[in-house]
Amino acid sequence: MQKFLVPVLVVLLSACAAAHDGVAQDVTTVRNAAATYPEQARRQGIEGVVMLRVHILASGRAVAVQVASSSGNGLLDAAALDAATRSVYRPAQTASGQKVDSWVRIPYRFVLE
C-alpha cells in the first residue's frame, strides 16, 4: 500500500473580500510548506481532512492559525497547523495596491493509498 499526502489546495473565503472594501486581490500562497503525514497516523491507517482558518497580516505573515473543522485526529490536526504556520503568503490587496489583513480557509487532506 503506497501512502502519501495529497497536496494542499488553498481555498479563500469569499468573506475575505467582503471584510475589506475594495479588495482586488485575495491572499495567495508564495511558499506552501508541505504537511508531514504523522507516522503514527500512517501506521494506524488514519486519514482525514483538516480545515484551518488562517489570519494573514498585510506583511504576509500568518499570525493566527485555528482548526475550523477537525479531522477527528489530533495528530493530523497538529501537522496541518504546523504546515500552515510555516507557509509564506502574499497578502490581500486593495485596488490601489494597499496590502490588508485578511482571513483565509485552507484544507489539508491526509490520504493513504
Side-chain angles (χ1 to χ4, degrees):
M1 175 187 285
Q2 190 176 23
K3 302 173 184 181
F4 67 96
L5 175 66
V6 173
V8 177
L9 170 65
V10 175
V11 178
L12 301 176
L13 282 172
S14 58
C16 172
H20 301 286
D21 272 342
V23 169
Q25 180 181 347
D26 287 324
V27 172
T28 56
T29 304
V30 174
R31 185 181 51 82
N32 191 16
T36 303
Y37 210 124
E39 191 55 40
Q40 183 179 353
R42 274 185 201 269
R43 285 193 308 269
Q44 295 177 1
I46 298 171
E47 298 181 329
V49 177
V50 183
M51 180 63 74
L52 300 180
R53 280 188 75 228
V54 183
H55 186 199
I56 309 297
L57 294 181
S59 66
R61 192 170 72 105
V63 292
V65 182
Q66 307 165 347
V67 175
S69 176
S70 174
S71 66
N73 181 275
L75 295 171
L76 299 183
D77 292 354
L81 288 164
D82 177 63
T85 302
R86 290 184 293 112
S87 293
V88 178
Y89 305 91
R90 180 171 293 118
Q93 293 184 18
T94 64
S96 64
Q98 179 182 357
K99 297 175 182 178
V100 293
D101 297 357
S102 59
W103 285 89
V104 295
R105 287 189 180 256
I106 305 173
Y108 283 81
R109 291 173 175 79
F110 295 86
V111 179
L112 300 171
E113 286 191 2

